[in-house]
Amino acid sequence: MTNTDLSLALRKRVLYSSIGLAIVVSAIFISVAFNLSRDLGQSLELEHSNKMLLQLTKSIKAIVSTADLNELSLNESVKTELIALLDKDVIGFEIWVNNKHFKLRNSSFYAQDEGIATAINTKQSSYDFIENEAEMLIWVYENSPLDDLSILMVTKTHALDKAISYVSNRLFITAFLTFWLTVWVALFISALISKRFEQSNDRLKYLASHDMLTGLPNRTYLYDYALSYFTPENVKKHQDLDTLFAIYIIDLDKFKDINDTMGHLVGDELLKAISRRLRNLKEKNSQVMRYGGDEFVVWCDDLNESDAISLAEDIVLLCRQPIKVSNYVFETSVSVGVAYYPASGQQLDDILKNADIAMYQAKKHRLGYQVFQQELFTRSEFRISLRGQLNAALEKRQFVLHYQPKVQLPENNIVGVEALVRWLHPKEGMLMPNMFIDIVEQSMFVHEFTRYVLLQAIMQCREWLDNGIELSIAVNISPYNLMDPELVSYLSDLLKHYQVPAELIEIELTENASMVNIDKTREVFSQLNKLGVKLSIDDFGTGMSSLAYIKHLDVDYIKIDRSFTIDVVTDSRDEAVISSLLVLCQKLNKLTIVEGVETIEQANKLASLGCTLAQGYLYSKPLSAEEITHLLSKRKAETDNKIINIKKFN
Amino acid sequence: MLNIKHNLCAIDRIIRGIIAVALIVYVVVFFDQIGDMLLQISILIFALMNLISFVLGWCPVYNIANINTCKKG
């Protein structure tokens, strides 16, 4: 039932109730007034009749003595004299004297009246009204007003008729006017109530479908709108005209940080400012909605693909402009995911889900915007599936370590290995770390995972030691592990338990990760240093670290990122960077390892620059525990202790 | 401000015209029988309002109540 139908039904109900009430009140009013006028009239008639009867009785007494009454029927002159006393309205006048009955005037109108007969028979003084077709009569029977004398008088009424007539006329007119007035008032009140009802309903509808903070339509509105949008006509329009509508999911980058640091009030103001900007999008057919939290949705119809991309660019640019909120200037950025109908889904839920996938892709890679492609969905679905299997994989020990050697230049002696995790997935086969590490980091298993890797590495180290191979193993940890208060003690317990020298374990942390919370990194590194494990900064040169931080972080190794190695032979700038870093690290008393060495030319060049440690496919790809053990044993036999322990090298 | 737009259909207007004339005639002919001055004036006012509605095709009560008998459906 629509709002209008409800309002109309309410109005009708109020109107009919008011009219009904008016009719009932008028009926009661008329009935009471009519009865009142009738009672009043009857009372007057009775009073009049009694007075008349008293007068007649006195007159009869004056005319005849008691003794003469016996002779009344014989004395015509007395009878005539008495009749002359009677009013013309008196149609019946009968007297009883000494059991004799005299009718001075009588009529058939009352001859059959039972009330009169009863009064006469019982000799009880009484009165009543007789209503016949033509007129109203009143009879009064008075027993013994004089000794042995009873009188019955029947009179036509006038006051009663007149009173009823007057009252009826006026009551009718009054009732008519009252009724009409009531109808008008009822109409007015019903309109007023209906209007209020509609206003309340509209307000409730607005509250339910709009976000109070920004005033934008909300998710409920979006679904309602979609419900009304997916009509056969619109579906056909998109099929025939080859147009599309696009849904953009817009998510503010780092909004949580703003909320946490500046407070929710500032965060709210920022959301309002963003919503105002989005409202001003140039695209005419666009609608902006707040999807929830810091997410907005733009629905844009009748687009072609280039328009859709252009709008996505507009949104990104529009939101990048600095925003002043509460004396702070924010340089915000947004990530936008775009999905088209019908290409990206036939139902709103599918389109939203796909736009969301695209948005997360854009956020992850800082792309600004990303249009949904099926490949993204497949990847996303796959990742979600992996996320659900993490716990089981840990329990079933599906994660295994592969080891990539680190060599000393120019002899290429293996001086250590870097442990790299592989997921031996029962269905998907061997999965590389780039396919699951970020899933692990975002999950609740990140600490458990790192501890598992450390355990595997230390157990391997123990096994090698038992076989006479003393080789350090580098383990990568996640920046989230720095927050694990038990990490250092866990590592210490493991080392003690397996009796592995601490210096054979190397902890690697990427440059970016170590800079996230420099104080925390320094604190944990300090504890690890005390434990005796080696520390290194991975992927150095690609992050945003300040050299001051490097100075303060007490690490043993700096691993120069592979991006500088790739073109070191041909690009003098890469050469300059590497040689400068080598000098810098030497001055800071830190060892450098160059990653990503794949060709002999690169190795030679790096050796010529003074690089002493390298890692890459030129020397070996990451190998399974069995393979690397086999390789190490072989090398050990060949070079007879030419394996240089990193400890010794150090 | 009252927005005087036709809100009475032809039948509505005719009924109001008939009622207005009938009431005026009633007051004039049965002036004595009605007797009460207040009633006489009330009927005349009521008749006059109906007459105005008849002439203008517009009813103030309908206007307030947002009713329009001109519209169909």
Side-chain angles (χ1 to χ4, degrees):
Chain A
M1 194 179 259
T2 65
N3 221 10
T4 319
D5 291 340
L6 273 173
S7 170
L8 203 64
L10 184 73
R11 283 185 70 167
K12 276 183 181 171
R13 224 176 287 172
V14 171
L15 191 62
Y16 293 152
S17 308
S18 303
I19 292 170
L21 188 67
I23 291 170
V24 170
V25 170
S26 297
I28 292 170
F29 174 65
I30 287 171
S31 168
V32 169
F34 185 82
N35 288 335
L36 185 70
S37 64
R38 191 192 58 195
D39 292 348
L40 198 65
Q42 286 179 349
S43 171
L44 285 172
E45 286 290 351
L46 183 64
E47 198 180 330
H48 178 251
S49 295
N50 280 337
K51 276 183 183 172
M52 196 191 287
L53 191 63
L54 188 64
Q55 190 65 40
L56 282 170
T57 308
K58 281 179 184 173
S59 300
I60 290 169
K61 194 179 176 185
I63 292 169
V64 293
S65 65
T66 310
D68 293 336
L69 280 171
N70 291 329
E71 306 300 325
L72 195 63
S73 60
L74 303 173
N75 193 341
E76 279 301 320
S77 64
V78 172
K79 196 176 176 181
T80 308
E81 199 174 348
L82 286 174
I83 290 170
L85 291 171
L86 300 176
D87 194 276
K88 64 179 171 55
D89 289 333
V90 177
I91 60 166
F93 195 84
E94 299 176 23
I95 55 176
W96 287 261
V97 175
N98 295 334
N99 296 324
K100 288 184 179 173
H101 182 200
F102 302 99
K103 291 181 180 177
L104 298 178
R105 193 177 281 175
N106 68 342
S107 167
S108 61
F109 286 137
Y110 64 89
Q112 303 299 321
D113 191 80
E114 287 179 8
I116 295 172
T118 309
I120 292 167
N121 291 336
T122 57
K123 295 191 176 176
Q124 290 284 319
S125 297
S126 183
Y127 73 93
D128 205 350
F129 291 86
I130 302 167
E131 191 173 353
N132 62 30
E133 287 172 4
E135 56 205 340
M136 184 83 91
L137 306 173
I138 179 171
W139 61 264
V140 181
Y141 174 75
E142 196 68 34
N143 188 35
S144 303
L146 291 171
D147 294 339
D148 299 327
L149 176 68
S150 297
I151 301 173
L152 170 69
M153 185 176 75
V154 182
T155 323
K156 288 181 185 172
T157 61
H158 288 290
L160 183 60
D161 295 343
K162 276 185 182 173
I164 290 174
S165 168
Y166 274 126
V167 170
S168 299
N169 265 335
R170 292 182 191 189
L171 275 180
F172 175 75
I173 295 165
T174 310
F176 174 75
L177 288 175
T178 307
F179 177 76
W180 210 271
L181 206 63
T182 310
V183 170
W184 281 0
V185 171
L187 276 175
F188 178 72
I189 291 172
S190 70
L192 206 68
I193 291 172
S194 163
K195 203 172 178 181
R196 285 282 165 88
F197 175 78
E198 275 177 20
Q199 280 173 346
S200 303
N201 249 14
D202 289 348
R203 181 71 187 152
L204 283 175
K205 205 173 170 187
Y206 182 85
L207 285 173
S209 62
H210 284 73
D211 168 49
M212 286 301 99
L213 179 69
T214 58
L216 289 175
N218 61 14
R219 190 190 288 227
T220 311
Y221 177 92
L222 173 66
Y223 278 89
D224 287 347
Y225 184 76
L227 209 63
S228 61
Y229 183 85
F230 288 113
T231 56
E233 295 79 39
N234 272 339
V235 171
K236 195 168 185 305
K237 180 183 83 177
H238 287 298
Q239 284 168 351
D240 293 351
L241 300 176
D242 202 24
T243 61
L244 48 87
F245 86 74
I247 282 188
Y248 301 77
I249 288 191
I250 302 157
D251 188 276
L252 259 68
D253 297 333
K254 306 282 180 193
F255 179 71
K256 189 178 177 303
D257 294 347
I258 294 170
N259 248 353
D260 291 345
T261 52
M262 311 300 289
H264 286 267
L265 284 178
V266 174
D268 287 350
E269 287 302 315
L270 186 65
L271 286 175
K272 280 192 211 171
I274 291 285
S275 70
R276 279 195 293 274
R277 286 191 177 180
L278 290 174
R279 271 185 222 264
N280 294 332
L281 283 172
K282 288 173 195 166
E283 196 60 53
K284 283 178 189 169
N285 296 326
S286 67
Q287 282 198 75
V288 184
M289 298 156 220
R290 188 176 175 202
Y291 195 55
D294 60 341
E295 282 189 338
F296 295 88
V297 164
V298 173
W299 174 303
C300 200
D301 201 1
D302 290 332
L303 291 168
N304 57 40
E305 218 162 315
S306 66
D307 291 340
I309 288 172
S310 166
L311 181 59
E313 286 168 350
D314 284 351
I315 292 170
V316 172
L317 286 176
L318 200 67
C319 296
R320 260 188 204 160
Q321 307 300 319
I323 297 174
K324 193 177 178 188
V325 175
S326 306
N327 297 327
Y328 301 105
V329 177
F330 293 97
E331 290 193 358
T332 55
S333 64
V334 293
S335 299
V336 182
V338 191
Y340 303 137
Y341 171 84
S344 305
Q346 302 287 326
Q347 302 294 323
L348 178 67
D349 278 333
D350 294 337
I351 302 166
L352 282 170
K353 183 182 72 185
N354 293 337
D356 215 33
I357 291 169
M359 186 273 288
Y360 277 109
Q361 193 68 13
K363 192 178 276 291
K364 188 177 170 187
H365 299 291
R366 303 280 187 271
L367 298 173
Y369 73 90
Q370 170 74 52
V371 179
F372 174 79
Q373 290 149 0
Q374 191 56 40
E375 181 199 332
L376 289 177
F377 174 71
T378 312
R379 205 185 308 161
S380 171
E381 200 178 31
F382 178 58
R383 285 165 60 81
I384 289 167
S385 155
L386 287 185
R387 193 174 297 165
Q389 299 170 44
L390 271 182
N391 193 26
L394 275 169
E395 280 178 3
K396 292 177 184 171
R397 305 171 79 86
Q398 288 173 357
F399 294 105
V400 296
L401 298 186
H402 280 207
Y403 303 90
Q404 186 174 35
K406 289 186 275 189
V407 301
Q408 185 200 17
L409 298 178
E411 293 89 353
N412 297 350
N413 292 329
I414 299 173
V415 293
V417 290
E418 180 181 358
L420 300 160
V421 188
R422 303 286 186 262
W423 184 345
L424 294 180
H425 196 280
K427 275 189 185 171
E428 305 294 336
M430 187 188 288
L431 301 178
M432 295 293 133
N434 62 342
M435 298 177 84
F436 62 85
I437 283 295
D438 57 337
I439 299 173
V440 174
E441 285 189 325
Q442 288 159 18
S443 76
M444 57 195 284
F445 303 112
V446 61
H447 298 326
E448 197 179 339
F449 180 82
T450 302
R451 290 179 187 198
Y452 172 86
V453 173
L454 282 170
L455 173 67
Q456 298 299 314
I458 288 171
M459 282 167 67
Q460 185 61 60
C461 209
R462 181 69 257 165
E463 190 184 320
W464 284 339
L465 283 171
D466 292 343
N467 292 329
I469 302 166
E470 192 177 343
L471 196 67
S472 73
I473 300 179
V475 176
N476 291 282
I477 65 166
S478 158
Y480 298 101
N481 296 134
L482 295 175
M483 302 299 155
D484 180 3
E486 306 295 324
L487 177 70
V488 179
S489 59
Y490 176 79
L491 183 57
S492 172
D493 291 346
L494 279 184
L495 291 170
K496 277 180 196 163
H497 183 262
Y498 288 96
Q499 294 182 334
V500 171
E503 60 267 24
L504 290 185
I505 298 299
E506 187 183 320
I507 300 293
E508 285 190 11
L509 193 65
T510 59
E511 182 188 14
N512 276 339
S514 54
M515 296 307 134
V516 170
N517 187 341
I518 187 72
D519 291 332
K520 189 69 191 171
T521 308
R522 195 185 300 172
E523 182 193 327
V524 177
F525 273 22
S526 166
Q527 291 169 358
L528 291 170
N529 249 333
K530 279 180 192 165
L531 197 64
V533 299
K534 300 295 175 189
L535 301 168
S536 73
I537 298 291
D538 204 4
D539 301 338
F540 189 79
T542 54
M544 305 289 285
S545 64
S546 154
L547 291 175
Y549 291 150
I550 304 300
K551 185 184 80 176
H552 290 299
L553 280 180
D554 195 10
V555 297
D556 302 281
Y557 302 101
I558 300 287
K559 295 182 82 172
I560 297 172
D561 190 68
R562 68 181 64 246
S563 59
F564 299 107
T565 315
I566 296 166
D567 295 324
V568 69
V569 179
T570 54
D571 194 333
S572 58
R573 287 172 298 183
D574 283 335
E575 184 185 331
V577 170
I578 290 179
S579 57
S580 303
L581 283 174
L582 288 170
V583 172
L584 176 72
C585 291
Q586 194 182 3
K587 296 281 184 194
L588 290 171
N589 201 25
K590 299 180 195 309
L591 289 172
T592 48
I593 302 169
V594 182
E595 295 180 290
V597 182
E598 293 179 358
T599 65
I600 191 73
E601 288 80 13
Q602 288 171 340
N604 292 336
K605 186 71 178 178
L606 290 168
S608 72
L609 291 174
C611 183
T612 52
L613 295 168
Q615 183 181 338
Y617 271 57
L618 175 64
Y619 310 110
S620 173
K621 63 175 187 177
L623 300 169
S624 67
E626 292 76 28
E627 288 170 333
I628 190 88
T629 306
H630 179 71
L631 178 70
L632 290 171
S633 303
K634 195 177 160 192
R635 287 278 182 97
K636 186 171 178 280
E638 280 174 4
T639 57
D640 190 27
N641 270 340
K642 270 193 176 177
I643 295 170
I644 298 172
N645 189 292
I646 201 160
K647 180 185 168 192
K648 290 176 188 167
F649 188 81
N650 196 9
Chain B
M1 284 288 288
L2 289 175
N3 182 19
I4 300 182
K5 264 184 181 179
H6 283 201
N7 56 12
L8 298 175
C9 67
I11 296 171
D12 209 337
R13 285 176 77 170
I14 290 165
I15 291 170
R16 282 163 191 258
I18 292 169
I19 288 172
V21 172
L23 287 176
I24 292 167
V25 169
Y26 177 70
V27 172
V28 171
V29 174
F30 299 100
F31 188 81
D32 289 333
Q33 204 171 344
I34 299 167
D36 193 319
M37 180 70 88
L38 183 66
L39 280 181
Q40 290 163 347
I41 292 170
S42 299
I43 295 170
L44 281 177
I45 290 172
F46 182 71
L48 208 64
M49 286 175 76
N50 276 293
L51 199 63
I52 291 168
S53 292
F54 167 70
V55 173
L56 298 178
W58 174 79
C59 171
V61 178
Y62 275 18
N63 191 62
I64 294 166
N66 201 23
I67 296 171
N68 191 341
T69 52
C70 288
K71 287 179 187 169
K72 286 186 179 177

